């Protein structure tokens, strides 16, 4: 059975997805996001700490190391929102 048809039948998005497709799905649909990157005067961008931490040593330190961010809210002021969004998209690809 085709994986796409199976997913539609079961309505379970994980069915038939490899790890890359699963991470892309999480990014696109913001499912299970556990951190918000806030931009003054703009909508926040949701993220996934574990995915970002495994893709970037800076995010690893921010979420799990010496810089540990405990609130799940990070205010970004030194990069434009569209650029930051592209960076997250790259990290989840």
């Amino acid at each position: 059975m085709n994986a796409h048809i199976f997913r539609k039948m079961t309505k379970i998005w994980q069915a038939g997805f490899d790890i890359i497709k699963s991470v892309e799905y999480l990014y696109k649909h913001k499912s299970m996001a556990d951190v918000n990157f806030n931009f003054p005067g703009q909508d926040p961008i949701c993220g996934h700490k574990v995915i970002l931490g495994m893709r970037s040593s800076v995010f690893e330190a921010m979420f799990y190391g010496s810089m540990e961010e405990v609130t799940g809210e990070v205010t970004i002021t030194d990069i434009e929102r569209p650029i930051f969004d592209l960076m997250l998209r790259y990290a989840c690809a």
Side-chain angles (χ1 to χ4, degrees), residues 7-78:
R7 279 194 305 278
K8 282 188 167 212
M9 288 172 49
T10 61
K11 300 203 186 281
I12 299 172
W13 66 268
Q14 295 95 333
F17 276 20
D18 61 23
I19 188 70
I20 294 168
K21 292 292 181 192
S22 294
V23 170
E24 289 172 354
Y25 181 93
L26 292 176
Y27 171 80
K28 182 178 178 183
H29 296 279
K30 309 304 180 201
S31 298
M32 298 182 262
D34 57 358
V35 64
N36 284 323
F37 296 98
N38 299 308
F39 297 82
Q42 300 178 57
D43 291 334
I45 297 175
C46 301
H48 303 84
K49 291 179 181 180
V50 70
I51 294 168
L52 295 171
M54 84 180 174
R55 299 285 288 167
S56 162
S57 60
V58 173
F59 284 125
E60 180 183 21
M62 181 183 287
F63 300 133
Y64 302 105
S66 59
M67 299 170 43
E68 188 172 352
E69 183 69 41
V70 294
T71 66
E73 301 285 329
V74 179
T75 300
I76 306 291
T77 58
D78 57 350

Side-chain angles (χ1 to χ4, degrees), residues 27 30 45 80-90:
Y27 171 80
K30 309 304 180 201
I45 297 175
E80 294 179 24
R81 187 185 184 283
I83 303 298
F84 191 83
D85 192 40
L86 284 173
M87 183 188 66
L88 290 186
R89 185 174 299 168
Y90 173 78

